[in-house]
Amino acid sequence: MRPRPPCPAAFPWWPAWLCPWRQWAGIPLGGHMLQRALVDSIGTLHAAGDFLGGVTVAGVPVGTDAFVLAELRQTADQIVSDLQTTSSALRDDPQALWASVYYSMQHRFDDRLRHVPPHFVNHREVGHRIDEAVMDVVRGMTYSEMLPRGVVGFVHRRFRLPARMRGCGIRSVVDVSYAAYCACFVESVERMLDRWGHQSVIPGFFPM
């Protein structure tokens, strides 16, 4: 059995490609090769063909801002494509299409909402694009001008409310991103502290 090297968390200046812990565990370096240009959250332009370093943990991108956005944009591309395909396949069966959007398609991005900071989700090529793609499908099932593009009025806001609040339950990825991320943070922080079990104290991940 090989001896374990010291944990690199104590040496944050180590680059990933030199990290002995990564090498010992056999974890490959990851990254994303851009297929088209990307402007990140601080306005930096990354050209097509640029390689962005990072890793994906349980489907959630972790790395530079540009890498996270590139991975989320790729996920958004797949969701939008699936929405268009589903809408086309079920265009003659609006009840089935509504059930597909309501129970499945609109939730495809939920796990990212909980683990990725909202400023990534709110990028125009990620959250806003998914929201608009969902609304395009919904517009095809309603009468004309019920939900006009580019207009956020009373009907639009009411439509976005959950069903328990007399809405239609088609939630906005952008609107929900802050609450989802905060909820996940609170749940994680609670596990950092020691807590009482049935007969003993369960140590937390970061006891104080």
Side-chain angles (χ1 to χ4, degrees):
M1 182 176 179
R2 292 174 295 174
R4 294 191 177 189
C7 177
F11 305 95
W13 58 86
W14 282 356
W17 62 277
L18 283 178
C19 175
W21 186 272
R22 179 194 63 77
Q23 296 172 359
W24 176 86
I27 300 174
L29 289 173
H32 184 106
M33 184 72 72
L34 281 180
Q35 300 301 315
R36 63 182 191 274
L38 171 71
V39 178
D40 63 23
S41 56
I42 60 174
T44 303
L45 174 64
H46 301 270
D50 285 357
F51 183 80
L52 309 173
V55 295
T56 302
V57 182
V60 178
V62 179
T64 63
D65 281 13
F67 171 78
V68 173
L69 274 176
E71 288 290 310
L72 293 178
R73 185 176 68 175
Q74 182 171 285
T75 301
D77 288 344
Q78 185 61 55
I79 292 173
V80 171
S81 176
D82 291 346
L83 278 164
Q84 294 169 347
T85 300
T86 303
S87 177
S88 177
L90 298 177
R91 63 179 178 272
D92 296 327
D93 192 350
Q95 289 84 3
L97 180 56
W98 174 263
S100 177
V101 173
Y102 183 85
Y103 290 108
S104 177
M105 300 300 294
Q106 70 162 328
H107 301 295
R108 290 277 300 277
F109 204 73
D110 285 1
D111 59 326
R112 275 80 172 180
L113 293 181
R114 288 175 53 82
H115 297 96
V116 177
H119 72 272
F120 290 116
V121 176
N122 295 345
H123 193 273
R124 67 178 184 275
E125 293 191 66
V126 183
H128 289 282
R129 184 161 175 244
I130 293 173
D131 280 349
E132 195 56 40
V134 171
M135 293 304 292
D136 282 343
V137 175
V138 171
R139 289 187 185 104
M141 294 183 282
T142 61
Y143 58 85
S144 61
E145 300 306 318
M146 173 183 170
L147 298 165
R149 185 186 297 273
V151 178
V152 182
F154 172 78
V155 175
H156 190 281
R157 292 193 297 271
R158 179 68 177 269
F159 186 88
R160 287 293 196 185
L161 289 175
R164 68 178 183 276
M165 299 177 68
R166 305 297 189 271
C168 289
I170 303 297
R171 309 308 305 278
S172 165
V173 167
V174 172
D175 292 346
V176 174
S177 61
Y178 295 95
Y181 187 72
C182 289
C184 186
F185 175 78
V186 171
E187 292 173 3
S188 301
V189 169
E190 289 175 348
R191 297 297 178 182
M192 293 181 181
L193 302 176
D194 294 345
R195 58 192 186 281
W196 282 100
H198 292 295
Q199 297 180 342
S200 61
V201 175
I202 302 174
F205 294 113
F206 189 66
M208 299 181 66

